[in-house]
């Protein structure tokens, strides 16, 4: 059947998983070598090495952070069904490895900008669960004071520039952020995330041309979850090799369900962008939920495909297996961590529900920056003109 | 640009070419290619880039080679430029200036004679100003660059050759203030940009005929300076709006509504709004003349209004 024709390519099982080199000491920060199972594919560039070093504490952090993200998205799902979250709600579960791997490779001075599937990236950048849930429910305690909603999460102090509703519009914005970084010479990069649907937007190629022309430190990351809302990638794109679409810009295809592959690729991309200009990363990932809460997610793909990916390639399960194989923790401890996180999320929801709705006066604040205009004066500087009511 | 290193110019042919109307002449030589950036022909993307750069604290000035080309960037101007300050709860300021020549020129054709102020006027979060003389162009430009809000500065293709003596000292005009061009008693004529000159020409004829029009250049298209306009209406009780926008949904239409709402009791007669015809601007010279408001039409309108 046409629907399942390409689904077999999504189920590339993790059969060649080699956790090697058990070291003698069992202190929590001993290094562990991990082999990335799915090889990188490079376009006009040599891919980085397939082996990554990590530590036990990093593994545990990955596990708890990803579980927190997963739990948050599932909780958002139930809140939406309880009509506490309205409008659009695009969930990120299944794609957590991209957020976590990227965070592990960069600093808070680097910039991330993405589209509307931004809840987990906000969390990764330092947002709290309370702010997330409050914003989703439109309360005052939210990160945008309740005025933005699900698609408009921002955190300026840790370099998270959102949160954008219009598909593809964030790519020129992101190149502008990279331009500003080059202008101020601060040796940081911008990660510009977009989806396989947005990859067909013209403004992406325009922005890529300019980024390459001026050697901007821009890294374009295509989170390819293979479906642009209801349209599978083979129905929307003549050439679904998004990492090759840059033509003169090098590209790298990465297994987006493997947090270590993402981390390795992002580190590599950061080094490249600071020296040679833009690079495209294509993250091969998958979302379990539909495009948004109004989409069941099963009309254009089979439930078998979804459960197949969940069994074979789930990012949290991968980390769990790695932790257990390395004897860093036990099954029970991991379950306890998950229980803790569940409690944390539930508590955040309770607190967020207590947060009040924004004041009616908030309707008119932040439309313009501090009132209007600027101080005006005549050429003789004696008269400060104009008093407007 | 000299005062603040964060100010930069982004646009097509602004650098080495000096700007299609020489507005940015010699700036690239002085400030370098990164501060006066020549872009490829990608309005949507470079406007988006300017907005992204503004989010981090730079103060870019975007030049649309002709305002009509900025229609391609409408998404970026409306959704990102206007709305980001609000949807981020005040976290990001967008101190961008978008400027360029617009309006009906000399037989430039329909697509290059557009008046974009009517399309942009509903976007929340932006300010719009229209300059008309060298003096107010400099003052408004400085104010727009120093403002923390996104400002769209409408220049006019036919006004670039005006010469005027302006002060050497620095001056900054108020973005929301209207300019009293000629005080009077009989009728308030509200206008902006190039129509100011048509109105002044008509005013000469009107003075000879014994009328005393008060001419106000509204300058601030969003928000309207209802203070100055209101004081004038309270004095003269008659309003004539002369604009270059189209009749339907133009600045004049909004201004009529605003004045009627706020100053209805002070009006002795219906507000008359003279605008361009609702047609694409034709190429032929005579036809083009008829699409735009001419001084004779203004004189007739004032005479009818003051009967």
């Amino acid at each position: 059947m046409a629907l399942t024709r390409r689904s077999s390519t999504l189920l590339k099982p993790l059969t060649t998983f080699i956790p090697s080199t058990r070291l003698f000491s069992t202190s929590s920060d001993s290094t562990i070598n991990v082999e990335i199972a799915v090889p990188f594919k490079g376009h006009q560039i040599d891919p980085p090495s397939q082996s990554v070093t990590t530590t036990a504490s990093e593994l545990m952090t990955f596990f708890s952070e990803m579980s927190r993200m997963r739990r948050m998205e599932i909780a958002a799902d139930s809140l939406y069904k309880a009509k506490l979250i309205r409008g659009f709600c695009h969930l990120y579960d299944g794609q957590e490895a991209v957020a976590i791997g990227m965070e592990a490779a960069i600093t808070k001075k680097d910039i991330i900008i993405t589209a509307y599937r931004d809840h987990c990236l906000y969390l990764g950048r330092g947002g709290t669960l309370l702010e997330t849930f409050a914003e989703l429910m439109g309360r005052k305690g939210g990160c945008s004071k309740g005025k933005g909603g699900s698609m408009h999460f921002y955190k300026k102090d840790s370099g998270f520039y959102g949160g954008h509703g219009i598909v593809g519009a964030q790519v020129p914005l992101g190149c502008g952020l990279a331009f500003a970084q080059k202008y101020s010479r601060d040796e940081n990069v911008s990660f510009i995330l977009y989806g396989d649907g947005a990859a067909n937007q013209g403004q992406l190629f325009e922005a890529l041309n300019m980024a390459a022309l001026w050697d901007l430190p821009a890294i374009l990351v295509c989170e390819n979850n293979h479906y642009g809302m209801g349209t599978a990638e083979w129905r929307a794109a003549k050439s679904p090799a998004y990492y090759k679409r840059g033509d003169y810009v090098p590209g790298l295809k990465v297994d987006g369900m493997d947090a270590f592959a993402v981390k390795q690729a992002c580190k590599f991309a950061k080094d490249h962008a600071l020296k040679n200009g833009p690079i495209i990363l294509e993250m091969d990932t998958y979302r379990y939920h539909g495009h948004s809460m109004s989409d069941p997610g099963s009309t254009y793909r089979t439930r078998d495909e979804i459960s197949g990916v969940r069994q074979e390639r789930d990012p949290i399960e991968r980390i769990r297996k790695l932790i257990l194989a390395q004897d860093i923790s036990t099954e029970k401890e991991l379950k306890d961590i998950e229980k803790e996180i569940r409690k944390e999320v539930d508590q955040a929801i309770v607190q967020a529900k207590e947060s009040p709705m924004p004041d009616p006066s908030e309707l008119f604040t932040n439309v313009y920056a501090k009132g209007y205009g600027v101080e005006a004066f005549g050429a003789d500087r004696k008269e400060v003109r104009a008093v407007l009511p | 640009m000299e005062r603040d290193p964060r100010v930069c110019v982004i646009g097509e042919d602004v650098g080495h070419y000096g700007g299609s109307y020489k507005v940015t002449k010699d700036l690239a030589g002085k400030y370098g290619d990164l501060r006066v950036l020549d872009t490829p022909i990608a309005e949507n993307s470079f406007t988006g880039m300017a907005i992204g750069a503004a989010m981090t604290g730079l103060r870019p000035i975007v030049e649309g080679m002709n305002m009509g080309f900025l229609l391609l960037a409408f998404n970026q101007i409306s959704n990102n430029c206007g709305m980001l300050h609000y949807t981020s709860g005040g976290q990001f300021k967008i101190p961008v200036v978008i400027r360029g020549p617009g309006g009906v020129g000399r037989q430039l054709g329909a697509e290059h004679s557009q008046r974009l102020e009517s399309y942009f006027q509903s976007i929340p979060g932006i300010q719009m100003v229209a300059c008309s003389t060298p003096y107010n162009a400099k003052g408004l430009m400085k104010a727009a660059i120093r403002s923390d809000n996104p400002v769209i500065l409408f220049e006019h293709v036919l006004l670039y050759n005006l010469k005027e003596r302006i002060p050497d000292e620095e001056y900054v005009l108020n973005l929301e203030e209207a300019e009293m061009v000629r005080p009077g008693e009989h009728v308030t004529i509200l206008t902006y940009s190039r129509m100011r000159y048509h109105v002044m020409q008509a005013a000469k004829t009107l003075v000879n005929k014994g009328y005393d029009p008060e001419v106000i250049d509204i300058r601030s298209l969003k928000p309207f300076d209802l203070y100055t306009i209101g004081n004038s209406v309270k004095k003269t009780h008659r309003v004539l709006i002369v604009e270059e926008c189209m009749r339907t949904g133009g600045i004049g239409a909004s201004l009529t509504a605003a004045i009627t709402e706020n100053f209805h009791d002070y009006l002795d007669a219906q507000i008359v709004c003279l605008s361009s015809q609702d047609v694409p601007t034709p190429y032929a010279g005579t036809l083009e003349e008829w699409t735009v408001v001419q001084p004779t039409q203004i004189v007739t309108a004032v005479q009818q209004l003051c009967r």
Side-chain angles (χ1 to χ4, degrees):
Chain A
M1 183 163 89
L3 262 181
T4 53
R5 173 156 71 116
R6 301 294 174 105
S7 59
S8 53
T9 56
L10 295 167
L11 306 176
K12 286 189 285 244
L14 194 50
T15 49
T16 51
F17 171 29
I18 314 166
S20 58
T21 331
R22 214 95 144 292
L23 293 181
F24 299 113
S25 73
T26 49
S27 71
S28 66
D29 272 358
S30 50
T31 41
I32 304 165
N33 282 338
V34 176
E35 278 292 309
I36 297 168
V38 175
F40 292 120
K41 284 206 208 131
H43 167 73
Q44 307 232 2
I45 196 168
D46 288 323
S49 126
Q50 295 289 136
S51 42
V52 171
T53 50
T54 180
T55 63
S57 51
E58 187 175 49
L59 278 169
M60 293 307 287
T61 317
F62 275 20
F63 180 80
S64 60
E65 288 293 320
M66 283 207 272
S67 304
R68 186 171 294 119
M69 290 178 181
R70 178 69 61 94
R71 196 68 235 131
M72 174 182 78
E73 295 295 68
I74 311 251
D77 181 315
S78 4
L79 283 177
Y80 192 91
K81 292 190 173 127
K83 293 212 190 258
L84 282 162
I85 302 178
R86 317 299 298 274
F88 291 123
C89 189
H90 306 89
L91 299 177
Y92 201 71
D93 52 332
Q95 297 181 216
E96 298 91 354
V98 177
I100 283 291
M102 195 179 287
E103 274 309 317
I106 61 178
T107 68
K108 289 288 188 279
K109 292 233 160 76
D110 295 310
I111 287 176
I112 296 185
I113 186 170
T114 181
Y116 41 75
R117 218 174 282 278
D118 54 351
H119 307 163
C120 298
L121 282 150
Y122 175 75
L123 219 57
R125 286 261 98 178
T128 64
L129 286 167
L130 172 59
E131 282 168 358
T132 322
F133 286 118
E135 184 63 34
L136 286 172
M137 296 197 269
R139 307 295 170 108
K140 217 198 299 208
C143 50
S144 301
K145 302 189 196 160
K147 295 199 277 197
S150 161
M151 298 190 283
H152 298 285
F153 280 28
Y154 305 93
K155 198 162 171 58
K156 184 166 191 184
D157 48 13
S158 36
F160 184 54
Y161 283 73
H164 296 275
I166 304 293
V167 170
Q170 76 274 16
V171 181
L173 280 185
C175 287
L177 298 169
F179 173 75
Q181 285 175 323
K182 182 167 179 131
Y183 194 98
S184 23
R185 287 178 243 249
D186 55 9
E187 296 296 305
N188 294 319
V189 292
S190 297
F191 282 83
I192 305 163
L193 277 65
Y194 59 97
D196 46 298
N200 297 318
Q201 277 262 321
Q203 49 190 327
L204 197 146
F205 297 97
E206 292 176 10
L208 195 60
N209 176 39
M210 290 195 273
L213 196 57
W214 301 319
D215 283 326
L216 302 182
I219 298 163
L220 274 74
V221 180
C222 178
E223 292 180 290
N224 184 3
N225 55 25
H226 306 285
Y227 294 95
M229 200 158 103
T231 310
E233 63 176 342
W234 54 269
R235 286 181 60 219
K238 184 75 180 168
S239 153
Y242 299 108
Y243 69 109
K244 285 196 189 153
R245 285 232 186 137
D247 184 26
Y248 41 83
V249 171
L252 197 63
K253 182 161 173 149
V254 183
D255 179 10
M257 304 296 259
D258 182 351
F260 290 108
V262 174
K263 178 183 169 191
Q264 179 83 316
C266 290
K267 250 205 208 124
F268 176 73
K270 178 170 175 176
D271 287 330
H272 183 272
L274 283 173
K275 279 192 284 224
N276 305 340
I279 179 171
I280 298 184
L281 297 178
E282 181 186 337
M283 304 283 176
D284 186 354
T285 179
Y286 198 84
R287 54 168 164 81
Y288 298 142
H289 268 92
H291 163 75
S292 71
M293 286 308 299
S294 56
D295 172 22
S298 45
T299 48
Y300 46 87
R301 50 186 191 176
T302 59
R303 289 193 203 281
D304 289 333
E305 179 189 304
I306 306 174
S307 47
V309 174
R310 204 189 272 271
Q311 258 176 325
E312 310 262 350
R313 298 174 67 204
D314 186 81
I316 303 182
E317 286 312 304
R318 193 181 293 233
I319 299 291
R320 190 199 298 265
K321 282 199 198 100
L322 193 51
I323 291 177
L324 294 175
Q326 294 283 332
D327 268 349
I328 297 170
S329 187
T330 64
E331 185 77 44
K332 180 176 181 309
E333 273 175 31
L334 294 179
K335 280 256 180 321
D336 282 340
I337 292 177
E338 285 182 326
K339 272 209 200 84
E340 271 301 311
I341 287 175
R342 202 181 179 122
K343 243 194 286 178
E344 202 183 320
V345 167
D346 287 338
Q347 203 178 20
I349 295 180
V350 165
Q351 267 184 306
K353 280 187 190 160
E354 282 166 18
S355 179
M357 287 298 219
D359 234 30
S361 63
E362 283 285 326
L363 181 61
F364 298 105
T365 58
N366 300 130
V367 181
Y368 293 104
K370 65 166 170 83
Y372 290 131
V374 71
E375 181 194 282
F377 46 87
D380 56 4
R381 280 201 173 249
K382 283 191 215 135
E383 205 191 315
V384 174
R385 307 166 74 222
V387 177
L388 290 182
Chain B
M1 284 183 83
E2 201 173 308
R3 194 184 70 107
D4 187 349
R6 296 171 300 170
V7 177
C8 54
V9 183
I10 297 179
E12 293 159 18
D13 278 330
V14 291
H16 296 186
Y17 193 79
S20 54
Y21 289 93
K22 298 286 178 261
V23 177
T24 50
K25 190 169 147 187
D26 295 334
L27 286 181
K30 196 169 170 194
Y31 295 108
D33 278 342
L34 196 64
R35 279 188 82 184
V36 186
L37 195 63
D38 276 326
T39 63
I41 305 177
E43 281 79 10
N44 194 1
S45 305
F46 70 69
T47 311
M49 273 187 63
I51 297 167
M55 281 166 93
T56 65
L58 286 192
R59 307 185 84 91
I61 302 164
V62 177
E63 169 167 320
M65 194 182 266
N66 185 297
M67 279 305 228
F69 305 162
L70 289 179
L71 285 173
L72 284 159
F74 206 110
N75 175 42
Q76 296 290 349
I77 296 174
S78 167
N79 291 329
N80 292 330
C81 181
M83 299 194 191
L84 268 171
H85 189 63
Y86 191 82
T87 55
S88 66
Q91 283 180 69
F92 297 115
K93 287 203 278 233
I94 318 281
V96 72
V97 177
I98 299 174
R99 49 158 293 268
V104 177
R106 296 250 183 272
Q107 297 186 254
L108 294 177
E111 288 162 338
H112 292 72
S113 314
Q114 296 193 69
R115 281 78 73 188
L116 250 56
E117 49 267 23
S118 54
Y119 304 162
F120 286 144
Q121 63 178 320
S122 291
I123 301 174
I126 59 165
Q127 277 187 260
M128 303 200 308
V129 281
C131 59
S132 48
T133 65
Y135 179 81
N136 63 31
K138 175 175 171 180
L140 289 174
M141 175 86 81
K142 274 193 189 287
I145 295 173
R146 292 183 203 196
S147 170
D148 277 337
N149 294 308
V151 179
I152 305 186
L153 175 59
F154 291 93
E155 301 157 5
H156 197 286
V157 272
L158 293 178
L159 298 182
Y160 281 120
N161 285 327
L162 289 175
K163 286 198 186 3
E164 187 184 339
R165 174 140 255 138
I166 54 177
D168 282 331
E169 301 90 357
E170 203 189 339
Y171 63 95
V172 174
L173 291 175
N174 191 313
L175 281 175
E176 301 92 32
E177 193 189 7
E179 185 180 327
M180 178 72 73
V181 183
R182 182 192 185 284
E185 295 287 328
H186 289 165
V187 60
T188 302
I189 306 183
L190 301 172
T191 181
Y192 65 91
S193 193
R194 181 175 164 234
M195 286 295 115
R196 170 189 172 135
Y197 295 93
H198 281 208
V199 167
M200 289 315 285
Q201 215 179 329
K204 267 200 231 126
T205 320
L206 286 168
V207 165
N208 287 341
K209 293 194 186 205
Y211 294 96
D212 188 19
E214 175 155 295
V215 180
I216 296 182
D217 181 343
I218 58 175
R219 271 191 348 211
S220 170
L221 302 176
K222 183 180 167 91
F224 293 129
D225 179 6
L226 288 175
Y227 182 75
T228 312
I229 295 173
N231 285 346
S232 178
V233 172
K234 288 176 193 171
K235 189 167 58 162
T236 65
H237 310 295
R238 283 169 223 280
V239 180
L240 171 68
I241 302 174
V242 179
E243 56 161 2
E244 204 177 35
C245 251
M246 313 266 209
R247 187 76 190 84
T248 310
I251 296 287
S254 307
L255 193 51
T256 309
I259 298 175
T260 316
E261 259 173 34
N262 289 301
F263 306 113
H264 179 79
D265 290 333
Y266 297 97
L267 290 169
D268 278 347
Q270 198 185 27
I271 301 176
V272 176
C273 183
L274 295 177
S275 338
S276 300
Q277 304 304 315
D278 279 327
V279 294
T281 313
Y283 167 71
T286 44
L287 290 180
E288 188 186 60
E289 245 179 57
W290 293 334
T291 52
V292 183
V293 179
Q294 298 298 329
T296 41
Q297 291 170 301
I298 302 172
V299 173
T300 324
V302 169
Q303 285 176 317
Q304 277 190 323
L305 196 53
C306 289
R307 223 169 336 113

